Amino acid sequence: MKFPCSASALRAAIAGAFLFAGLFPAAHAQRLPKTVIPEHYSLTLTPDLKAATFTGEETIDVDVKTPTNSITLNSLEIKFQSVTVKAAGKEQTGTVSTDVEKEEATFTFPDTIPAGHAALRIHYTGILNNELRGFYLSKTPTQNLAVTQFESTDARRAYPSFDEPAFKATFDITLIVPKDDTAISNTAIESDTPGPGPDVHTIKFGHTVKMSTYLVAFLVGKFDCTSGSSDGVAIRVCATPDKVQLTPYALSVAEWVLHYYDNYFGIHFPLKKLDLIALPDFEAGAMENFGAITYRETDLLLNEKTATVGAKVNVAEVVAHEMAHQWFGDLVTMEWWNNIWLNEGFATWMQTKAIKVMHPEWQIDQDEVSETGGALNLDAQPTTRAIRAKADTREEIEQMFDGISYGKAGAVLRMVENYLGPETFRQGVHNYLIAHEYGNATAEDFWGAQTSTSGKPVDKIMESFVVQPGVPLLTFGEPENGRVSVSQERFYLSPSIKPGEPQKWTIPVCLKTSTGERDCELVEPDTTSIKVPSNAIFFADAGGTGYYRTAYTPKDYAALVANVETALKPTERISLIGDEWAKVRDGKATVGDYLDLVSAVKDDKNAIVLGTALSGVGTIESRIAGTQAEKDELAAWLRTNFSAQYAALPAPAPDDTPGTIELRATLFGVLGGAKDPAVLKESHEIAEKFLDNPASVDPTLGQTALAIAARNGDEDLYNRLVNVYETTHNPQLGEMALRLTAEFENPELARRSLDYALTPKVRSQDAAIQFAIVMSGDKTRPMAWQYIKDHWDAIHPLLTPELGNILVGSTANFCSAADRDDVEQFFSTHKVASAEQGEKHAIERINGCMELRGLQENSLKQWLAARPQA
């Protein structure tokens, strides 16, 4: 599964570490007994799209391990009509008892069911809910659709099942749907016949491979598809009919990626067909249902003529992420949810691996290092968790879908791959998949395969990063006589944290050499020094692939800063910038030291390097600068130091590289944020052209200009954006327009955006994000928070698992004790189910902001006072 990842959504939710937490009745989940094992499901479902209900007929073939007169499985919001069991030639009718808290149903029969094969036959009804989970209703202006989202524990809402990942089985699925609608499921349509009445037809799908319940999918409505193929596999990208023209880009990506994965894994795609389907209402970013991947529309559909570079990268990576799951997660599935990183970490690592080969011009390796920095910062918060953690209840399971399972796990895998070498690591991946295909696996299974393949202690490395939380800090002495001293400790982003028991890791540390080759040494818990290759510059994160922070002697650090543009690769500059910003957060460096490093890279031609450096400046402005005068001085420094770089860039041209396009937009955006008069004027001119004809200007610059114009915009621009949102059939443009309505600094327009979010015109999947964006603005935050409190009864029902935590996480933008206390008090009496961790992290971030301002504001004043006045 991939969480929503549009740029606006991420900016709004930047304070929320745990974006996935369940908004459901408190469920104290209990593992099902292994005395009855499912082997095959035959499902026939008849949805009523007008009444928002469905009926189901189900036969489950099971293997009864020990004689019993009762069978327990998972069920939620299901009404049972009848239950029978047939075993050893005898059929019995059962009674049903349900446990809502455990989400279980128990069927009890008069006589004992003998060991061996038995067939459960169940008739039931259910609801097409509006919670974006289970079997739910999605709507467009012209039709209702019935679609599914079962991960992690919601297949039980659509069909009674042994709804745990280790209970793999095969499926035969039949859907009886309105005669004008079609249906999509995990396999291709085997037959399509009229009836059983005049207004419906019956669609039967082919027999599936063995898979987990949460990977089943069935979608009913009017869909149009664009078709292609790769390596003999039929591929379709589908959408509602009004958007099918936006499917070719994703199809081309899918065709390329499937061939790449076939070769990389050494295992042909397991199914005969693969569908990628865009859904109008979808909570996450995408879901890896085996052979029928579902997506939020903005993560699959785009118009290449009007799409930004970032949108193209995002769609390509989300497509690659979900397709990687077809091997990691679907073919081989984690045994239990505590190892969800085996799914999500692998897919996160694999998505960029595929796309950077497909599009080397996108400089994905720089993105990887930047994203590792985000994971390191998350993992260095006062509270975090191990990659593998307790996950027994629904709420605990949902909270596993976070930046640790995705970002940290993916970064650790990338570090290990760099240590072993790509081909050795690939062979270990192949061996792991072959050993467990169509089955389940644990973390030990994976690192055991890598250890035996490589002959290196991957098990020790992986275990040290998977079973304990936190970030290692490696402190190096000055290199001498071919060696350098090194010590390790746990790093926190706060100097007030008092570490508990000492922690140690087994860490592959790759040092920069004069030839550019990697020279990796293993730092073990008792290591005190390592060999150092001959090189004029000492840098201990060659390529930026390490999952650790580094600290150097003042002499070595000064040499790195002095030679940052000539001695380090772009990926290494990103790593160095991230380490220095972390030291600022921890009080081991001053904000002036960081701004000096930003000055050293101000002429960098890589947008991601510059963007990484400037993101820290943005935090300085919002979290450290305590007065408007300090903010104004910082803005003046930005205008002085970055105007020339922007002016030196050529005018946009059709043959611009993605790097040039992104660099131009990055510089334009930072100058617009710094209120550069020329850029503000230009932003309005470009925004007007873009709104009149999105294809008339470079889309990346056009959307950046429109964002600047919106923050400084008037009612006329606001109304135009609302009109774009309400009338466009392009999801990318529609989401952009909607998000930008929440960026206006004008208080009346900001309030209108909050009112608008509560109308039926804004989908529930988007409403909370709108509130979070308004909460991110210094000028609009107080009004937005009061609005949320005043309208809680209307907002609370919209809070689905991810979105509830995005909203709660947005309160982390506050930076005062009074606001912190107000947030704590409000959520103590207005609970957001399963958002306890989100609230805790928000409070920690408010405390962290107050601490950071106290540590660094004087340093900022001194640094600004020493600069020449603009």
Side-chain angles (χ1 to χ4, degrees):
M1 187 156 60
K2 187 76 172 176
F3 48 80
C5 51
S6 69
S8 297
L10 286 184
R11 285 200 302 272
I14 194 167
F18 291 87
L19 299 186
F20 284 71
L23 180 59
F24 294 101
H28 304 285
Q30 178 175 308
R31 302 282 288 273
L32 294 173
K34 292 183 170 57
T35 53
V36 178
I37 307 298
E39 294 178 334
H40 179 72
Y41 293 80
S42 294
L43 287 171
T44 298
L45 294 113
T46 306
D48 184 330
L49 301 182
K50 293 181 180 178
T53 61
F54 66 94
T55 61
E57 297 180 16
E58 176 182 32
T59 299
I60 312 176
D61 293 303
V62 298
D63 180 13
V64 179
K65 295 297 184 181
T66 58
T68 181
N69 73 332
S70 67
I71 296 175
T72 298
L73 42 58
N74 296 113
S75 174
L76 184 62
E77 298 175 351
I78 294 292
K79 292 184 178 180
F80 292 92
Q81 310 300 309
S82 65
V83 177
T84 62
V85 65
K86 187 174 183 179
K90 179 180 179 180
E91 186 170 36
Q92 304 182 63
T93 298
T95 59
V96 181
S97 61
T98 58
D99 188 323
V100 175
E101 187 174 342
K102 292 181 179 179
E103 301 179 4
E104 292 178 353
T106 298
F107 308 144
T108 304
F109 302 94
D111 299 322
T112 298
I113 306 166
H117 176 267
L120 280 170
R121 186 165 178 80
I122 306 164
H123 288 75
Y124 62 96
T125 62
I127 59 170
L128 298 174
N129 66 67
N130 60 359
E131 298 177 28
L132 308 180
R133 287 296 178 101
F135 199 11
Y136 69 92
L137 202 64
S138 177
K139 297 180 179 180
T140 76
T142 60
Q143 66 165 319
N144 287 354
L145 304 94
V147 299
T148 58
Q149 168 59 38
F150 292 154
E151 190 177 33
S152 52
T153 56
D154 287 298
R156 64 194 66 176
R157 291 173 179 260
Y159 60 101
S161 53
F162 297 81
D163 196 13
E164 296 180 6
F167 285 123
K168 287 193 166 185
T170 55
F171 294 80
D172 283 317
I173 295 171
T174 300
L175 295 170
I176 301 173
V177 305
K179 63 181 181 181
D180 294 330
D181 287 339
T182 188
I184 301 171
S185 190
N186 303 86
T187 54
I189 293 175
E190 189 174 86
S191 66
D192 185 349
T193 58
D199 298 324
V200 297
H201 61 131
T202 299
I203 300 175
K204 180 177 175 56
F205 296 90
H207 191 72
T208 75
V209 298
K210 194 175 182 183
M211 62 186 187
S212 300
T213 50
Y214 77 90
L215 296 170
V216 172
F218 29 87
L219 318 167
V220 177
K222 296 175 180 65
F223 295 99
D224 284 346
C225 306
T226 301
S227 300
S229 65
S230 181
D231 289 1
V233 176
I235 302 177
R236 300 187 304 171
V237 179
C238 305
T240 53
D242 59 319
K243 299 183 179 73
V244 70
Q245 73 275 12
L246 303 174
T247 57
Y249 175 78
L251 177 63
S252 67
V253 174
E255 289 175 321
W256 193 95
V257 168
L258 189 139
H259 177 68
Y260 178 88
Y261 285 167
D262 275 354
N263 289 335
Y264 183 87
F265 295 127
I267 301 171
H268 191 271
F269 181 71
L271 308 179
K272 295 179 181 179
K273 71 91 175 174
L274 174 64
D275 291 332
L276 292 73
I277 311 102
L279 300 179
D281 297 281
F282 199 73
E283 180 183 28
M287 175 61 208
E288 66 268 19
N289 314 300
F290 215 167
I293 306 172
T294 46
Y295 294 81
R296 184 178 276 233
E297 288 181 332
T298 47
D299 286 313
L300 188 67
L301 308 177
L302 60 74
N303 180 337
E304 290 191 68
K305 292 182 179 180
T306 60
T308 64
V309 172
K312 293 175 183 177
V313 173
N314 176 62
V315 168
E317 288 192 351
V318 177
V319 167
H321 182 102
E322 302 308 322
M323 288 180 65
H325 275 311
Q326 305 298 290
W327 286 265
F328 281 110
D330 297 4
L331 181 66
V332 179
T333 310
M334 76 278 151
E335 191 171 280
W336 184 249
W337 299 105
N338 62 337
N339 271 320
I340 189 60
W341 72 274
L342 283 171
N343 287 16
E344 300 303 347
F346 274 110
T348 300
W349 158 73
M350 198 69 198
Q351 72 184 42
T352 55
K353 189 171 186 66
I355 298 305
K356 67 184 174 184
V357 176
M358 184 182 185
H359 286 288
E361 74 278 10
W362 285 350
Q363 302 172 325
I364 297 294
D365 57 338
Q366 296 179 38
D367 277 325
E368 290 174 338
V369 182
S370 178
E371 289 165 7
T372 294
L376 287 164
N377 288 338
L378 170 61
D379 204 19
Q381 295 292 340
T383 59
T384 181
R385 67 168 180 85
I387 290 176
R388 181 168 62 189
K390 178 177 177 289
D392 293 332
T393 68
R394 173 188 283 273
E395 289 82 1
E396 289 170 345
I397 291 168
E398 294 292 346
Q399 290 182 78
M400 294 295 287
F401 292 83
D402 63 2
I404 299 299
S405 290
Y406 289 77
K408 179 178 181 178
V412 169
L413 290 169
R414 197 173 299 117
M415 176 177 68
V416 173
E417 179 195 27
N418 184 61
Y419 170 61
L420 298 183
E423 179 53 31
T424 300
F425 190 81
R426 187 204 67 80
Q427 188 60 51
V429 167
H430 170 82
N431 294 345
Y432 163 77
L433 291 173
I434 285 291
H436 301 283
E437 59 183 348
Y438 301 109
N440 299 85
T442 65
E444 287 77 7
D445 293 324
F446 172 74
W447 65 57
Q450 289 289 356
T451 300
S452 62
T453 301
S454 67
K456 293 186 177 182
V458 179
D459 50 353
K460 292 182 180 179
I461 297 169
M462 293 292 298
E463 185 173 21
S464 73
F465 281 92
V466 169
V467 304
Q468 63 180 342
V471 174
L473 170 65
L474 297 179
T475 301
F476 295 95
E478 189 171 335
E480 187 177 14
N481 299 322
R483 298 192 70 84
V484 65
S485 64
V486 60
S487 62
Q488 61 168 293
E489 61 183 309
R490 183 170 173 179
F491 175 77
Y492 291 94
L493 282 178
S494 167
S496 64
I497 298 298
K498 305 302 180 185
E501 291 295 319
Q503 288 180 237
K504 301 288 185 180
W505 290 260
T506 300
I507 311 168
V509 176
C510 295
L511 307 174
K512 189 171 183 63
T513 69
S514 57
T515 63
E517 298 295 321
R518 61 190 178 93
D519 190 335
C520 300
E521 297 284 328
L522 203 60
V523 174
E524 299 184 89
D526 58 354
T527 299
T528 58
S529 69
I530 56 175
K531 291 188 297 183
V532 179
S534 175
N535 193 29
I537 294 290
F538 175 60
F539 185 68
D541 189 17
T545 59
Y547 191 81
Y548 48 82
R549 292 296 187 190
T550 58
Y552 303 97
T553 66
K555 176 183 175 182
D556 287 326
Y557 176 73
L560 286 169
V561 175
N563 297 278
V564 65
E565 285 293 323
T566 56
L568 299 184
K569 298 176 181 177
T571 53
E572 294 162 349
R573 290 174 221 152
I574 294 167
S575 173
L576 180 68
I577 292 165
D579 284 352
E580 185 65 8
W581 178 247
K583 287 165 62 181
V584 171
R585 296 282 303 273
D586 189 35
K588 290 183 171 62
T590 69
V591 72
D593 295 331
Y594 180 80
L595 289 168
D596 287 340
L597 178 57
V598 175
S599 297
V601 300
K602 68 184 178 68
D603 294 318
D604 203 288
K605 302 305 180 186
N606 296 277
I608 300 169
V609 174
L610 206 56
T612 300
L614 290 169
S615 69
V617 179
T619 303
I620 292 169
E621 189 274 338
S622 63
R623 311 292 271 180
I624 295 176
T627 68
Q628 189 59 49
E630 291 165 10
K631 294 176 186 290
D632 290 343
E633 285 186 66
L634 191 60
W637 176 79
L638 287 168
R639 294 193 298 270
T640 299
N641 282 272
F642 292 94
S643 294
Q645 286 85 326
Y646 174 69
L649 289 172
D655 59 351
D656 280 343
T657 66
T660 298
I661 292 169
E662 292 275 74
L663 180 62
R664 182 184 295 113
T666 297
L667 289 167
F668 192 80
V670 73
L671 291 170
K675 306 291 185 181
D676 182 285
V679 169
L680 291 180
K681 180 175 182 294
E682 189 179 3
S683 71
H684 284 283
E685 295 169 353
I686 296 173
E688 286 292 326
K689 292 179 182 177
F690 185 79
L691 286 173
D692 289 340
N693 179 10
S696 67
V697 279
D698 163 51
T700 304
L701 183 62
Q703 292 198 24
T704 303
L706 193 52
I708 297 169
R711 284 193 292 274
N712 300 278
D714 57 15
E715 185 176 16
D716 179 64
L717 178 58
Y718 183 94
N719 291 337
R720 291 187 70 182
L721 289 171
V722 170
N723 182 64
V724 170
Y725 170 67
E726 292 183 355
T727 60
T728 186
H729 291 289
N730 184 329
Q732 299 282 346
L733 292 178
E735 182 182 79
M736 173 210 68
L738 177 65
R739 299 288 183 257
L740 289 181
T741 62
E743 297 271 6
F744 282 73
E745 293 181 350
N746 180 306
E748 293 181 4
L749 298 176
R751 184 181 176 88
R752 272 185 62 185
S753 74
L754 300 178
D755 289 335
Y756 190 58
L758 290 179
T759 69
K761 292 183 177 180
V762 175
R763 296 182 182 276
S764 61
Q765 67 180 16
D766 296 313
I769 296 174
Q770 296 299 103
F771 287 104
I773 294 172
V774 184
M775 284 286 291
S776 70
D778 287 347
K779 296 180 179 180
T780 56
R781 186 177 308 120
M783 178 276 297
W785 176 233
Q786 189 61 50
Y787 186 100
I788 289 169
K789 292 187 290 184
D790 291 344
H791 295 79
W792 187 249
D793 289 345
I795 294 170
H796 186 255
L798 302 174
L799 301 183
T800 61
E802 291 93 347
L803 302 176
N805 272 265
I806 287 177
L807 180 65
V808 171
S810 71
T811 62
N813 289 296
F814 285 119
C815 194
S816 73
D819 288 322
R820 176 202 61 203
D821 295 344
D822 187 32
V823 169
E824 279 192 303
Q825 191 281 327
F826 181 77
F827 286 124
S828 71
T829 55
H830 299 78
K831 296 294 185 182
V832 178
S834 299
E836 293 87 354
Q837 285 294 322
E839 181 188 345
K840 184 175 183 179
H841 283 272
I843 297 302
E844 287 177 349
R845 283 163 176 75
I846 298 172
N847 289 333
C849 179
M850 292 188 292
E851 180 182 54
L852 180 62
R853 183 170 291 172
L855 282 170
Q856 297 290 355
E857 188 174 10
N858 284 335
S859 171
L860 176 63
K861 290 178 181 178
Q862 292 167 10
W863 189 87
L864 290 170
R867 303 304 103 192
Q869 296 299 307

